[in-house]
Amino acid sequence: MIAMYTVSHFTDGAPDRRPYLAIALVLSAVGTFLATLGSPWFGLAALTLAAVGGKCAATLYWPLAQSGLDLKIAAPGLAVVNSLGNLGGFVSPTLFGYLKDTTGSTNGGLYTLSAASLLAVVGVVYVRNTRGTSGALPRTAREASAERPVVS
């Protein structure tokens, strides 16, 4: 929770949140991969690292998704993204269970989750920046009016 607050507060004024999102996703992938190594206590620490990366990525993702869509289709576009995320909430545990049943170990599922985070990093790199900001806070009316030329 502290990491989520700190990252979101730190990136609020950033003109482009994509690099921070990529770092959070890589942190999640590394934590998930490291969970397959070492003792159960090390695995717990690694999964905590993965959770920090995943939760921080969520605080960075939604403003990016909103800024990447045209205002006319923002609501239905976000609904599609949310629906696909909910579908992933079904597919991921099912695939994880299937891999555990076929291999007898949770490592295959953790490797798959790690690969999915790295695939998301590739997606973040190729996201278009359509409005000129990637999730930065909108300017206040005073800042916007200060930049307008005075017409006489």
Side-chain angles (χ1 to χ4, degrees):
M1 195 166 68
I2 294 168
M4 287 173 56
Y5 175 78
T6 304
V7 167
S8 64
H9 181 71
F10 177 73
T11 60
D12 274 347
D16 191 3
R17 292 183 190 208
R18 289 180 297 169
Y20 301 105
L21 177 57
I23 290 168
L25 288 169
V26 168
L27 182 68
S28 177
V30 167
T32 306
F33 178 78
L34 289 177
T36 63
L37 310 172
S39 71
W41 288 107
F42 181 77
L44 177 64
L47 285 177
T48 302
L49 183 71
V52 167
K55 293 300 181 181
C56 288
T59 63
L60 297 169
Y61 171 74
W62 286 106
L64 178 71
Q66 291 173 358
S67 68
L69 295 173
D70 185 44
L71 291 176
K72 295 178 217 167
I73 62 163
L78 290 175
V80 169
V81 169
N82 196 23
S83 298
L84 290 174
N86 287 334
L87 182 63
F90 168 76
V91 171
S92 179
T94 304
L95 179 62
F96 194 92
Y98 173 77
L99 290 172
K100 184 182 180 300
D101 289 344
T102 56
T103 64
S105 172
T106 58
N107 288 353
L110 292 172
Y111 293 145
T112 304
L113 290 173
S114 184
S117 289
L118 293 177
L119 186 62
V121 171
V122 173
V124 167
V125 169
Y126 289 107
V127 166
R128 279 191 315 150
N129 187 4
T130 57
R131 278 200 238 155
T133 62
S134 290
L137 288 176
R139 296 179 303 162
T140 63
R142 179 175 285 169
E143 290 171 345
S145 65
E147 293 179 7
R148 285 190 212 142
V150 177
V151 179
S152 30

